[in-house]
Amino acid sequence: KETAQTAMEAALTGHMVFTTLHANDTATAITRLGEMGIPPYLVGSSVIGVMAQRLIRKICPKCSTTRQVDKEKDHLAFEHNIRTLKEANVVDLSNNSENLCPVCNGTGYKGRLGLYEVMKVNDPIRELIMKSSTADVIRSCASDHGVKSLLSYGLDLVKDGLTTIEEVERVCLLND
């Protein structure tokens, strides 16, 4: 609490403060500060922006395959107008497979990509912070003002064929 309070006070005096915080997205980062005991007026007047980020695995460009979306099985992809999906070619090493992909070594993935959600604390969001609004209310307002969620960003990467829908679901904590 003391560290967070000091950071907020430093921000109020004009210092640029960058810090990290454990939260699922930008809206929960705001409410997390309140849970740490920072008064809403201090959060609202000192925070100018919040960024959430996650790393996801990039699908191997050499051995990945493409398939059509199954309306029954791939609900999330179908709902977001994705009609083809890339699939990772993950090799079961217990079968002593000798034909491993030279790029990914049979893992199906090579490299990482960042998922980002950036929320500028504008006047409508600042008002919600001052009212101690829930993360859901802040998230809805942010979305109305053009903030792209981690999930939405990830689904764009799926559309572009850079990662798999399973990877986005895993990283965005979608268990349903």
Side-chain angles (χ1 to χ4, degrees), residues 88-176:
N89 185 20
V90 180
V91 177
D92 183 5
L93 295 178
S94 64
N95 295 338
N96 294 329
S97 179
E98 295 179 17
N99 296 328
L100 296 179
C101 173
V103 174
C104 70
N105 217 15
T107 63
Y109 296 93
K110 181 67 176 178
R112 302 269 177 171
L113 293 166
L115 292 186
Y116 304 99
E117 177 180 325
V118 179
M119 179 177 71
K120 180 180 179 185
V121 179
N122 56 21
D123 289 338
I125 291 173
R126 187 167 286 107
E127 286 177 28
L128 293 174
I129 293 169
M130 299 293 201
K131 294 178 188 173
S132 298
S133 297
T134 65
D136 289 337
V137 173
I138 294 170
R139 188 177 301 110
S140 177
C141 180
S143 177
D144 292 345
H145 286 88
V147 174
K148 183 181 274 195
S149 70
L150 289 169
L151 177 60
S152 180
Y153 192 99
L155 290 172
D156 285 347
L157 295 176
V158 170
K159 281 180 188 175
D160 293 342
L162 297 173
T163 192
T164 62
I165 192 82
E166 295 82 11
E167 187 68 2
V168 171
E169 289 174 344
R170 179 185 68 84
V171 171
C172 291
L173 307 173
L174 300 178
N175 296 328
D176 298 327

Side-chain angles (χ1 to χ4, degrees), residues 13-101:
T13 63
H15 292 83
M16 184 66 72
V17 178
F18 293 92
T19 187
T20 60
L21 185 66
H22 290 281
N24 289 333
D25 61 7
T26 56
T28 54
I30 295 292
T31 57
R32 180 84 177 94
L33 290 168
E35 292 167 1
M36 296 170 94
I38 307 301
Y41 74 88
L42 198 52
V43 176
S45 56
S46 60
V47 176
I48 60 171
V50 182
M51 183 175 82
Q53 61 183 2
R54 300 282 183 281
L55 284 178
I56 60 171
R57 296 178 294 174
K58 187 176 181 181
I59 197 161
C60 178
K62 180 161 176 61
C63 70
S64 65
T65 58
T66 304
R67 70 170 176 85
Q68 294 298 313
V69 168
D70 180 348
K71 184 177 175 179
E72 302 300 318
K73 188 175 93 170
D74 305 309
H75 299 290
L76 184 63
F78 190 79
E79 288 171 10
H80 288 86
N81 219 18
I82 299 172
R83 297 298 176 248
T84 59
L85 293 174
K86 289 276 195 167
E87 287 193 325
N89 185 20
V90 180
V91 177
D92 183 5
L93 295 178
S94 64
N95 295 338
N96 294 329
S97 179
E98 295 179 17
N99 296 328
L100 296 179
C101 173

